Amino acid sequence: MKMISNKSKIVFLSTFPPTQCGIATYTQDTVKGITDVYGKSITCEICELVNKPKEKPTQAYTLNTTNKEEYARVAEQINKDIAVKLVHIQHEFGLFEGNYGDYLLGFLNAIKKPVTFTFHSVIPNPNNELRTFVKLLLSYSNSVFVMTNQSKEILTNDYGIQESIITCVPHGTHIVIYETPAQAKEKFGFQDRLVLSTFGLLGEGKNIETGLQALSKIIKKEPTVLYLIIGKTHPNLIVDGVDAYRDKLETMVKDLNLKDNVQFINQYLDTNELLDYLKATDIYLFTSKDPNQAVSGTFSYAMSCACPMVASKIPHTREVLTSDCGFLVDIGNADQFAKATLKLISDENLRHEMGINAFRKTRASSWENVAIIHINTYKNLIEKPAEIKFSYPAIQLKHIKKLTTDLGIIQFSKISVPDLASGYTLDDNARALIAFCMHYKLTQDKDDLPYILIYLDFIERCQKPKGNFINYVDQENREHIEQNAEVNLEDSNARAIWALGTVISNAAILPDTISKKATKCLLNSLKWAENIQSPRSIGFATKGLYLYHSAVPNLYVAAIINKLNAKLLANYEAHASENWKWFENYLTYANGILPESMLYAYLVTNKPVYKKVALDSLDFLMSKMFIDKDFKVISNNGWYHKDSEPHQFGEQPIDVSYTIQTLNSFYNAFHTPEYKNKMKIAFNWFLGKNHLNQIMYNPVSGGGYDGLEKENVNLNQGAESTICYLTARLLMENFKLSESKVIPLLKNRSGVAINS
């Protein structure tokens, strides 16, 4: 039976693929970004702009822009759908017929839905007629998106548009898994070439001629350079099958004797293949010759793939391309292009540094982050908007597997490249073991088992004869006395017990060899565990011991849980007051594990005091982290001390993940809906509900970003952050599955429930 959707709809008035033009691609990517981030509650539909009647429409609406009467008719069609909450017009003057495209006024006069625009062109120094027309368009909307601050300034200064109605959103970019050009070239067989590239629908405006002229100078010093000219000629420029512009370029290649140094890739590439070419590029040449070009998607995409840039001076490049990412040169100046390119060719370190800077700079403009900006603006335009909810991204294990070798999981990552020199820690391998057990419990994916064994073996090899563990092993599998003599080893040892308890609690679904190995390690650790002193270490160990005791009831283990939490209770009684119900005089990291430890102690001993302290301390912690429906992570820029104001920024995924894990444990114990609601609010931090409105994970690989600072996201994807994100995501998946109503419920041949 077809389900009736209660999602709100956004209609985009735009060209759309298979039409080959920049605005069509831009709209497609915008729609995908919104759907990926908000598809749970938002549906995007297209009103496709065409210039002749379409026999078989493929979108929800079709508007023949050459037919003046159609504008009002299509608007009336959209008006009839009560689910449509907003119409977003992608505006370019060439898209609509009439003087300055004034046929569009027929649509605007008829539409009854709220309207917003994206201005793809903002023409400076307008004449009176153009200025009046643009102001007229915006009188129907009171909202417009532009892609550069300069465009915003032109609208306010040259057109007299009120700044408050303008939203500046960067041109979107695709998130990629970072690779060095040397790595990316292997796919194409370019390993022995230094690669320059330019891409896009070719036409006179791209000014590829300047790139070829510069190349003729470059190869005199660097004869092995390869220049990739990627993309088909714009379809509007091919007349009667004749591609005059490409013929012109091919003639230039021949005349300048560049046939061994130029490769035309005359295709309209799919996005992933295009991004692969850009990742294989050593230097990107942006040769556009339009001095008024407000924005360039090709330029943005190249920067986002870590290409060091040599770019013509247009408004977009002047605003975005800082000196740490590339060189700006005069339009059409082949000598300047050649000189800047040769400088980059001669300095590999400079190329690498500029590429990394470009990559980092464009992460904020990912299509996911652009979607968040769009939706935040839409909310202000729609009367009584329904709740707009984040959608949960697919669970990805690519990055965590990339970080894992035969020995264990590597500690750090430089962006997405594992840093072997950082070595391996017990901490991270314990976290990874917990996460993979959770994933295996959720999916029964047999591919998880080798990873579970790797992490478990690492813990086993770190265990010492007295039952405690070392924490650090280097890339050559050597132990280091200095790293393993640090004062805070209790935490990592206790996390190992937590991980071992997790394995044992899943013994029913894991191979016997794995559960027996974990049991042996955990039992060997008990004598050491009795004497744990630090509060968080008590919490981590208690969680593991509770999981063990739940699977294999053991009076000795129960006694250890009671002994450890009596110490924690003493801490609470020594520090707690009416306004500070906590175990210490400060909140630091992984705070949730302390009330969670009290909860497990209560569940094992049934002592009311443990329950009371668990609930009181959790309520206190939540009062500091959930303020006015917003989630505030305890900052690592300076811990939150009693009788002082909390620090800001310096937010890390570990604290978000632990908060979610703690709330999950309390929800499972007491089924209080508030705990589940707070879990969702906290997880939204990863999805972009934070002070920068940026996602905190890589949706392609599942890598977790290392931190949220005042003005930027730390894009390194180390083991701790990646595992913490994955753990939180798996917990939310369990809730998502439990909330879904499966009717009817069938079983497979093994008796496992499956969706019909």
Side-chain angles (χ1 to χ4, degrees):
M1 183 175 73
K2 185 176 180 180
M3 300 295 291
I4 298 174
S5 174
N6 59 356
K7 293 181 182 180
S8 297
K9 292 181 182 178
I10 310 295
V11 173
F12 285 82
L13 218 68
S14 177
T15 54
F16 205 75
T19 297
Q20 295 176 8
C21 78
I23 292 177
T25 304
Y26 179 90
T27 302
Q28 182 183 50
D29 289 332
T30 301
V31 166
K32 184 178 185 302
I34 292 172
T35 303
D36 286 348
V37 179
Y38 296 103
K40 185 176 183 179
S41 51
I42 294 287
T43 295
C44 295
E45 292 186 339
I46 304 299
C47 177
E48 186 178 9
L49 303 178
V50 297
N51 55 17
K52 58 184 178 182
K54 199 165 185 178
E55 291 183 10
K56 295 182 179 179
T58 55
Q59 300 298 335
Y61 308 96
T62 303
L63 170 57
N64 178 3
T65 58
T66 64
N67 185 336
K68 195 171 185 178
E69 285 69 37
E70 274 208 25
Y71 287 81
R73 182 183 61 78
V74 171
E76 294 294 351
Q77 283 184 328
I78 295 171
N79 288 337
K80 291 176 182 177
D81 189 344
I82 60 171
V84 174
K85 304 302 180 184
L86 181 77
V87 175
H88 192 149
I89 300 171
Q90 302 295 314
H91 185 272
E92 178 66 80
F93 289 102
L95 288 181
F96 304 100
E97 291 294 320
N99 188 29
Y100 291 120
D102 65 1
Y103 280 19
L104 180 59
L105 296 176
F107 179 90
L108 294 171
N109 283 320
I111 194 70
K112 303 301 182 187
K113 309 288 184 178
V115 171
T116 187
F117 293 88
T118 292
F119 280 178
H120 289 263
S121 287
V122 180
I123 301 170
N125 305 312
N127 58 35
N128 287 335
E129 189 178 9
L130 176 57
R131 183 186 298 108
T132 300
F133 180 70
V134 168
K135 294 179 79 168
L136 178 60
L137 287 181
L138 292 181
S139 71
Y140 289 92
S141 167
N142 287 326
S143 171
V144 60
F145 292 86
V146 294
M147 287 177 251
T148 63
N149 287 314
Q150 182 166 353
S151 293
K152 183 176 181 177
E153 290 171 7
I154 292 171
L155 282 180
T156 55
N157 296 334
D158 293 5
Y159 290 83
I161 303 301
Q162 197 174 348
E163 185 177 348
S164 61
I165 74 167
I166 305 171
T167 302
C168 191
V169 54
H171 192 292
T173 54
H174 295 279
I175 291 179
V176 299
I177 299 173
Y178 173 78
E179 294 179 280
T180 63
Q183 294 169 315
K185 286 176 189 177
E186 294 178 9
K187 179 175 181 178
F188 302 105
F190 296 153
Q191 295 95 317
D192 59 342
R193 307 293 292 271
L194 191 136
V195 176
L196 316 178
S197 76
T198 299
F199 91 91
L201 289 171
L202 300 192
E204 293 285 350
K206 287 286 190 289
N207 196 22
I208 304 298
E209 299 93 322
T210 297
L212 293 174
Q213 290 163 359
L215 182 64
S216 68
K217 303 173 188 297
I218 292 166
I219 63 171
K220 291 176 182 176
K221 291 187 177 180
E222 300 289 345
T224 63
V225 165
L226 177 64
Y227 184 25
L228 303 178
I229 300 172
I230 307 166
K232 294 180 68 174
T233 306
H234 197 292
N236 293 349
L237 300 179
I238 300 176
V239 181
D240 297 329
V242 177
D243 188 344
Y245 185 66
R246 187 172 298 275
D247 291 344
K248 174 184 172 182
L249 296 180
E250 290 178 349
T251 300
M252 278 190 72
V253 169
K254 183 178 179 182
D255 291 346
L256 294 172
N257 197 24
L258 299 174
K259 58 183 176 59
D260 294 331
N261 302 93
V262 174
Q263 183 174 332
F264 287 96
I265 301 169
N266 187 11
Q267 300 175 55
Y268 192 79
L269 300 175
D270 69 54
T271 300
N272 289 332
E273 191 171 5
L274 169 62
L275 297 174
D276 284 342
Y277 272 112
L278 292 175
K279 288 196 288 184
T281 296
D282 292 288
I283 303 166
Y284 188 83
L285 304 184
F286 179 76
T287 54
S288 174
K289 66 179 182 181
D290 181 357
N292 292 321
Q293 185 176 352
V295 69
S296 167
T298 62
F299 169 78
S300 297
Y301 283 15
M303 282 190 69
S304 73
C305 289
C307 296
M309 311 290 292
V310 181
S312 300
K313 296 173 182 175
I314 67 165
H316 190 189
T317 61
R318 284 178 182 272
E319 183 171 314
V320 174
L321 188 62
T322 49
S323 59
D324 60 345
C325 299
F327 296 104
L328 284 170
V329 299
D330 292 335
I331 290 174
N333 192 317
D335 288 336
Q336 290 183 15
F337 267 97
K339 182 179 179 181
T341 303
L342 285 168
K343 181 174 177 60
L344 284 169
I345 290 173
S346 68
D347 192 337
E348 183 177 358
N349 289 334
L350 181 61
R351 291 201 307 274
H352 175 75
E353 184 180 330
M354 284 185 166
I356 291 290
N357 290 337
F359 182 89
R360 292 185 188 278
K361 192 167 193 172
T362 50
R363 288 311 86 193
S365 63
S366 73
W367 287 112
E368 291 81 1
N369 292 333
V370 165
I372 293 169
I373 297 173
H374 276 89
I375 292 295
N376 286 342
T377 299
Y378 293 166
K379 287 176 182 177
N380 296 326
L381 302 176
I382 302 171
E383 284 188 35
K384 298 179 181 178
E387 183 181 4
I388 297 176
K389 300 177 182 178
F390 287 101
S391 298
Y392 294 158
I395 295 168
Q396 290 281 5
L397 303 180
K398 288 180 187 174
H399 188 61
I400 195 171
K401 289 183 176 181
K402 185 178 180 181
L403 284 169
T404 303
T405 70
D406 291 343
L407 179 60
I409 190 165
I410 298 163
Q411 186 175 188
F412 297 135
S413 182
K414 295 177 179 177
I415 303 183
S416 56
V417 179
D419 181 9
L420 276 168
S422 67
Y424 307 79
T425 66
L426 178 68
D427 261 339
D428 291 331
N429 281 274
R431 291 187 186 102
L433 181 56
I434 293 165
F436 264 83
C437 284
M438 292 173 65
H439 188 265
Y440 186 69
K441 184 176 181 180
L442 179 71
T443 66
Q444 305 286 295
D445 185 348
K446 299 296 184 185
D447 289 343
D448 290 347
L449 295 176
Y451 291 90
I452 289 172
L453 190 57
I454 286 171
Y455 306 134
L456 179 58
D457 283 348
F458 186 91
I459 293 174
E460 182 185 48
R461 78 173 303 287
C462 287
Q463 191 165 37
K464 299 167 76 172
K466 291 184 179 180
N468 61 324
F469 303 84
I470 63 168
N471 186 46
Y472 181 80
V473 175
D474 76 4
Q475 60 182 319
E476 296 176 359
N477 199 12
R478 296 176 303 181
E479 301 169 13
H480 283 252
I481 295 173
E482 59 274 18
Q483 284 96 334
N484 290 313
E486 294 176 359
V487 295
N488 206 26
L489 278 181
E490 268 196 347
D491 275 11
S492 58
N493 276 244
R495 277 200 190 91
I497 293 174
W498 173 8
L500 295 168
T502 301
V503 174
I504 296 161
S505 70
N506 287 286
I509 59 173
L510 289 169
D512 283 348
T513 52
I514 288 177
S515 56
K516 286 178 179 177
K517 182 178 291 195
T519 300
K520 180 181 177 183
C521 285
L522 187 140
L523 293 177
N524 287 343
S525 73
L526 293 181
K527 283 291 183 186
W528 172 85
E530 280 189 65
N531 300 306
I532 295 173
Q533 299 298 322
S534 75
R536 278 159 192 75
S537 302
I538 288 172
F540 299 142
T542 296
K543 191 164 186 175
L545 295 173
Y546 171 78
L547 290 168
Y548 174 83
H549 180 69
S550 299
V552 187
N554 183 304
L555 291 176
Y556 177 38
V557 170
I560 295 175
I561 291 172
N562 185 49
K563 179 181 178 181
L564 292 176
N565 284 275
K567 297 178 190 177
L568 196 56
L569 179 62
N571 262 57
Y572 182 84
E573 291 171 340
H575 294 94
S577 63
E578 184 178 351
N579 297 319
W580 187 267
K581 296 183 178 182
W582 197 243
F583 305 84
E584 301 162 312
N585 285 330
Y586 41 75
L587 297 169
T588 59
Y589 78 102
N591 298 291
I593 196 64
L594 303 185
E596 196 175 344
S597 186
M598 290 278 100
L599 170 65
Y600 296 133
Y602 163 67
L603 293 174
V604 169
T605 67
N606 209 29
K607 290 183 177 180
V609 65
Y610 287 148
K611 179 181 179 182
K612 177 173 174 31
V613 172
L615 292 170
D616 287 351
S617 60
L618 179 69
D619 287 347
F620 170 76
L621 178 61
M622 295 302 100
S623 74
K624 301 301 181 184
M625 300 188 77
F626 293 86
I627 302 168
D628 297 330
K629 296 185 179 180
D630 286 331
F631 177 62
K632 302 289 185 184
V633 183
I634 302 299
S635 168
N636 71 350
N637 287 336
W639 301 127
Y640 187 171
H641 288 262
K642 185 177 181 179
D643 299 324
S644 67
E645 290 299 313
H647 292 265
Q648 289 186 300
F649 315 118
E651 302 176 17
Q652 294 191 316
I654 184 172
D655 288 298
V656 184
S657 184
Y658 273 85
T659 301
I660 292 168
Q661 292 176 58
T662 296
L663 288 165
N664 178 64
S665 297
F666 274 81
Y667 179 79
N668 289 337
F670 302 115
H671 300 288
T672 305
E674 178 191 359
Y675 298 146
K676 184 161 66 171
N677 293 335
K678 280 184 164 60
M679 283 178 68
K680 294 176 181 178
I681 293 169
F683 188 72
N684 286 348
W685 181 90
F686 286 108
L687 304 182
K689 190 69 169 67
N690 50 60
H691 75 268
L692 289 183
N693 292 317
Q694 293 186 32
I695 62 171
M696 291 300 300
Y697 64 96
N698 183 315
V700 180
S701 67
Y705 297 142
D706 276 356
L708 182 70
E709 306 302 333
K710 181 178 181 180
E711 296 178 349
N712 67 283
V713 172
N714 182 340
L715 297 178
N716 294 330
Q717 295 152 54
E720 178 186 288
S721 302
T722 295
I723 299 165
C724 285
Y725 166 68
L726 174 61
T727 302
R729 177 67 186 87
L730 290 168
L731 287 175
M732 302 315 295
E733 185 69 11
N734 282 327
F735 268 124
K736 188 173 78 170
L737 292 175
S738 68
E739 288 177 337
S740 62
K741 296 178 181 179
V742 183
I743 303 174
L745 185 68
L746 303 178
K747 293 184 178 180
N748 64 18
R749 291 180 181 178
S750 302
V752 178
I754 57 174
N755 289 341
S756 61

